[in-house]
Amino acid sequence: STDDEKMRMCVSAACSECPLFARVALGIYAIDKEYLNGPTTHHAVRPSPLKDAIYHVLQDAGGSLRVKEIHARIQAKKLYVF
């Protein structure tokens, strides 16, 4: 596998394990508005640079994106170094 594939796998894993992101279709994620509006004291997300970068990309997009697009935008904006 290539480095790009490994980086996309990191993005995919971060999206799938974090309650802040909702999977809307296979390989497509968005910010989970229910999570943002609900009580977060019990399930607070531990911040990480990658999750923060994903959040900013999805927020800028104003909707859902494929993992490949999230990864490309993170790299283009230099939001996270893989």
Side-chain angles (χ1 to χ4, degrees), residues 8-9 11-16 21-30 54 58 63-72:
R8 280 195 298 274
M9 286 171 53
V11 171
S12 181
C15 286
S16 64
F21 310 119
R23 190 174 102 171
V24 295
L26 185 61
I28 301 175
Y29 291 88
I54 294 167
L58 289 172
S64 60
L65 291 172
R66 294 186 176 281
V67 167
K68 194 175 191 176
E69 295 167 321
I70 295 169
H71 170 247

Side-chain angles (χ1 to χ4, degrees), residues 3-80:
D3 285 343
D4 269 355
E5 287 172 346
K6 289 177 186 172
M7 289 182 258
R8 280 195 298 274
M9 286 171 53
C10 288
V11 171
S12 181
C15 286
S16 64
E17 72 186 18
C18 182
L20 183 56
F21 310 119
R23 190 174 102 171
V24 295
L26 185 61
I28 301 175
Y29 291 88
I31 295 170
D32 188 339
K33 289 178 178 50
E34 285 183 28
Y35 181 83
L36 289 179
N37 295 332
T40 57
T41 52
H42 301 303
H43 302 73
V45 175
R46 285 185 307 170
S48 78
L50 179 55
K51 289 175 189 167
D52 192 46
I54 294 167
Y55 180 83
H56 286 294
V57 164
L58 289 172
Q59 193 174 41
D60 286 350
S64 60
L65 291 172
R66 294 186 176 281
V67 167
K68 194 175 191 176
E69 295 167 321
I70 295 169
H71 170 247
R73 290 181 188 206
I74 287 172
Q75 282 194 306
K77 294 182 179 192
K78 297 178 172 51
L79 295 173
Y80 179 80

